[in-house]
Amino acid sequence: MDRHTAPPRTNWTFLTNHARVLATIARDPGTRLRDIASHCDLTERAAQAIVTDLEKAGYLAHTRTGRRNRYEITPDTHLRHPADDHLHVAALLDLMTSGTDHSGATPHQLRAG
């Protein structure tokens, strides 16, 4: 590489931490916050903040079962970016989780909308 060629950019990723957390929950709705954090390479505090963001935005809800939380994703919630707001979150999760069921619906039903 000569001095006029810029080095490749390696400090970006395709997915946000919010998408990673939501996909982790989609794979296992009973997962613990510490496991979400570990899987997504986040601190527990960051994972908790993201779960709170997702709940406040309506993408996610939780119920308490004993000492554990069980999460439920709202699959027909639209993506937030204006360029993608015609898509449901279920379509993204279907891609990220290889067809994991997100609400009792089939992958085909999740893509419809």
Side-chain angles (χ1 to χ4, degrees):
M1 173 176 359
D2 69 29
R3 65 184 183 155
H4 299 291
T5 304
R9 289 178 36 162
T10 58
N11 61 345
W12 63 273
T13 64
F14 282 103
L15 302 174
T16 66
N17 287 333
H18 284 66
R20 284 188 193 92
V21 166
L22 198 60
T24 300
I25 291 169
R27 286 185 201 100
D28 180 5
T31 191
R32 298 176 305 172
L33 192 59
R34 75 174 49 143
D35 296 328
I36 294 169
S38 176
H39 185 273
C40 297
D41 198 24
L42 299 168
T43 64
E44 284 188 51
R45 182 176 285 197
Q48 177 61 58
I50 290 170
V51 167
T52 299
D53 287 346
L54 293 169
E55 285 188 292
K56 284 181 180 178
Y59 289 93
L60 185 64
H62 78 274
T63 55
R64 195 86 171 148
T65 307
R67 296 174 56 190
R68 304 274 302 258
N69 285 327
R70 179 145 188 96
Y71 299 97
E72 184 176 339
I73 294 171
T74 310
D76 59 346
T77 308
H78 291 269
L79 297 181
R80 291 173 53 98
H81 193 280
D84 303 319
D85 66 0
H86 64 285
L87 298 171
H88 291 143
V89 72
L92 173 66
L93 293 174
D94 192 38
L95 289 171
M96 293 180 67
T97 61
S98 300
T100 301
D101 186 5
H102 311 295
S103 67
T106 65
H108 174 72
Q109 289 170 320
L110 293 173
R111 284 190 293 271

